[in-house]
Amino acid sequence: MTNTRKTRRVGELFERFSEPIARARSKIEPEPPQVRRFVYPTATTETPSELVPWTLRVAAAWSWRSLVVIAALAVAGWAFSYLTMIFIPVLIALLFAVLLDPVNRFLQKKFRFPRALSAAVSLILGISLVFGLISAASSQILAQFGDLAFKVSEGIDRLMSWLSEGPLQLNATAVEQYIDSMTSEITDFLQDNGSQLASGALSVTMSLGNAVTGFLIAMFVLFFFLKDGRRIWLWFVRLVPQAARLPIHESAIRGWITLGAYARTQILVAAIDAIGIGLGAYFLGVPLAIPIAVLVFIGSFIPIVGAIVTGGVAVLVALVDQGINIAALMLLVILAVQQIESNLLQPWLMSNAVSLHPVAVLLAVAAGSFLFGIPGALFSVPIVAFLNTSMLYFHGYDKFPQLAQDNDRPGGPPGTLDRQILATYDSTMMKIDPTSSEGEHSSVIPDDVDLDPETEPEQLEPVALETNKTDD
């Protein structure tokens, strides 16, 4: 009995102490995992475009637009490569038109020349200046060509003497035999490759013919740029919608002024090259210093090749006339002038003229020369400068704010664009309403506008029409 009571007492104590332990253990044990089914989004919840992150959508928009722009530029470059015979003369005529436009306008306003006469006089002055420089250089070269040829033969004789009597101590007979063998090899080469040389001469003749054709095209286009440049531009402007005419016209005026600054700066850089190299040749006693300076001035307008050719001519003249020491000094002078011009003067002056950073100028020249050779190097900077100034105006930044009140600016006085466009139409031309069933006609020139058909666009008064208010 006593043992039974003790056993029951021990069981009660065990249950009393084990119950809190069981409750604590139940709290520590984790709940069993619950598996839920994932429901994919359907058309009733979210669209796939809504699941794409915003950054990825922006990157995709930039990407396909950039690809379209690159494709358009590639097509334009491909077309340019096939139409260089047309584009290069037109671009050359455009640059000369920028330079001769102040002369053309001065003749029209100061001496009351007709447009055709002022364009012809300006063209003749420009051609005379270029050919005058070329003639001055070539005449002095031809006048001293005999002396230079005689010095060339003397130089060859001195070279032969130096080879036989100098440090090399070569046998004179062996040198003469070597020269004779070279002469015979050259003769045999010319005889064996006569057909290839003939085809090469034909290609050179064709290149000269293309050059003459390009020159004639450039002069023809230049004359009409000077005579009817304003009308040609207004014809392009009137093709665009009414709301876009004024911004395009004003941005083109800023770009035209930028091109003028570029052309004048290029002339200044070429003059610095010519003066530096010409003075170096003069103080070194090299003959033909003035023709060399003229050739350097003309060659500076042709990047890379012009500098190499004109510098090589100067070094060759110094070598023939003065010897190798003076030729080496002449080469150092040329390298110094060209390094100062290409790395300091041209980027600094050109960046100030066209509002481009020197790095942008150098990269534009490098990219243009890599893609299109010499024409690309020649026209890359003015094209980039024109686009830069135009795009700045489209975005609300005017580099030439004084043009808004300048009545003597290129492109006509402010506020006369509509009158200038109307002046380019024939007074008998009628405007048709295609939406009207009766085919109503109306005059292109409104009845309330007193516009004399004989009035030139640049002679119009700076009065804005009512149609300008719709653009605002």
Side-chain angles (χ1 to χ4, degrees):
M1 189 71 179
T2 305
N3 294 333
T4 304
R5 186 180 300 171
K6 290 181 179 179
T7 304
R8 187 184 304 128
R9 188 69 178 269
V10 170
E12 292 177 355
L13 291 174
F14 180 77
E15 291 178 358
R16 183 181 301 175
F17 287 104
S18 63
E19 184 177 357
I21 295 174
R23 286 199 300 269
R25 181 180 299 173
S26 63
K27 292 181 179 180
I28 294 174
E29 292 180 356
E31 295 182 358
Q34 297 181 0
V35 180
R36 295 182 181 180
R37 182 181 179 185
F38 178 76
V39 179
Y40 288 93
T42 61
T44 58
T45 57
E46 292 180 309
T47 60
S49 61
E50 294 178 349
L51 298 177
V52 179
W54 178 81
T55 55
L56 183 58
R57 279 183 283 176
V58 172
W62 272 95
S63 299
W64 73 260
R65 286 177 172 84
S66 300
L67 291 176
V68 170
V69 172
I70 293 173
L73 293 176
V75 172
W78 174 80
F80 180 84
S81 64
Y82 277 90
L83 298 175
T84 53
M85 191 63 193
I86 302 298
F87 284 117
I88 292 179
V90 171
L91 292 176
I92 292 175
L94 187 62
L95 288 180
F96 274 95
V98 171
L99 289 174
L100 297 177
D101 181 63
V103 179
N104 185 38
R105 296 170 61 194
F106 175 78
L107 294 176
Q108 291 180 12
K109 294 181 179 181
K110 185 69 175 179
F111 298 102
R112 302 297 180 182
F113 280 13
R115 288 186 297 129
L117 180 59
S118 63
V121 172
S122 302
L123 180 61
I124 292 173
L125 289 176
I127 295 176
S128 300
L129 179 60
V130 173
F131 280 94
L133 293 175
I134 297 176
S135 176
S138 60
S139 61
Q140 292 194 23
I141 291 175
L142 292 176
Q144 301 185 23
F145 181 79
D147 296 336
L148 290 177
F150 178 73
K151 290 182 179 180
V152 168
S153 62
E154 286 186 348
I156 294 175
D157 294 337
R158 287 198 301 268
L159 177 62
M160 295 291 297
S161 300
W162 182 80
L163 290 175
S164 60
E165 300 175 0
L168 299 178
Q169 295 293 325
L170 297 179
N171 190 355
T173 305
V175 173
E176 291 178 358
Q177 291 178 355
Y178 180 74
I179 294 175
D180 293 338
S181 64
M182 287 185 61
T183 304
S184 61
E185 289 179 1
I186 293 174
T187 304
D188 295 338
F189 175 80
L190 294 177
Q191 293 176 354
D192 296 337
N193 299 275
S195 59
Q196 298 181 1
L197 293 175
S199 61
L202 180 61
S203 64
V204 171
T205 304
M206 293 177 62
S207 300
L208 292 176
N210 293 336
V212 173
T213 304
F215 173 77
L216 295 178
I217 292 174
M219 294 301 101
F220 183 81
V221 174
L222 176 58
F223 173 77
F224 283 100
F225 277 171
L226 295 174
K227 177 180 177 292
D228 298 323
R230 183 79 60 82
R231 290 181 176 272
I232 295 173
W233 168 247
L234 292 175
W235 180 81
F236 282 104
V237 171
R238 76 187 191 188
L239 295 178
V240 302
Q242 177 75 23
R245 291 178 179 177
L246 185 60
I248 291 177
H249 180 68
E250 294 294 330
S251 65
I253 292 175
R254 274 73 179 173
W256 181 263
I257 294 176
T258 302
L259 284 180
Y262 165 79
R264 290 188 293 270
T265 304
Q266 186 64 40
I267 291 176
L268 178 60
V269 171
I272 293 174
D273 281 350
I275 293 174
I277 296 177
L279 289 177
Y282 174 77
F283 287 114
L284 290 175
V286 179
L288 304 175
I290 295 178
I292 288 174
V294 174
L295 289 178
V296 170
F297 177 79
I298 297 175
S300 297
F301 289 92
I302 304 176
I304 304 174
V305 174
I308 293 176
V309 172
T310 56
V313 170
V315 174
L316 181 60
V317 172
L319 178 63
V320 171
D321 187 77
Q322 300 291 335
I324 190 170
N325 294 329
I326 300 299
L329 293 176
M330 189 72 238
L331 179 60
L332 292 177
V333 170
I334 293 173
L335 292 177
V337 172
Q338 291 183 353
Q339 289 298 315
I340 293 173
E341 173 263 321
S342 60
N343 296 321
L344 180 62
L345 292 177
Q346 185 169 11
W348 178 60
L349 295 174
M350 198 65 68
S351 61
N352 291 335
V354 300
S355 295
L356 293 176
H357 194 273
V359 175
V361 174
L362 293 176
L363 292 179
V365 173
S369 60
F370 176 76
L371 294 175
F372 303 106
I374 295 175
L378 179 62
F379 297 110
S380 58
V381 175
I383 290 175
V384 171
F386 183 91
L387 293 176
N388 178 62
T389 305
S390 301
M391 292 299 105
L392 284 176
Y393 183 83
F394 283 135
H395 286 82
Y397 300 96
D398 190 0
K399 184 186 174 185
F400 307 99
Q402 69 276 8
L403 295 178
Q405 291 82 29
D406 187 4
N407 293 333
D408 194 32
R409 66 177 188 173
T416 62
L417 176 60
D418 292 308
R419 285 183 177 270
Q420 293 185 61
I421 293 176
L422 292 176
T424 60
Y425 289 106
D426 189 356
S427 60
T428 61
M429 187 179 296
M430 303 300 292
K431 183 168 57 177
I432 303 174
D433 185 5
T435 61
S436 175
S437 59
E438 292 82 5
E440 297 180 356
H441 293 67
S442 61
S443 177
V444 174
I445 302 177
D447 297 333
D448 57 344
V449 177
D450 184 13
L451 188 63
D452 185 3
E454 300 297 328
T455 304
E456 299 296 338
E458 57 269 17
Q459 297 175 353
L460 296 172
E461 294 294 332
V463 179
L465 294 181
E466 294 295 328
T467 54
N468 279 344
K469 295 182 179 179
T470 60
D471 297 340
D472 299 335

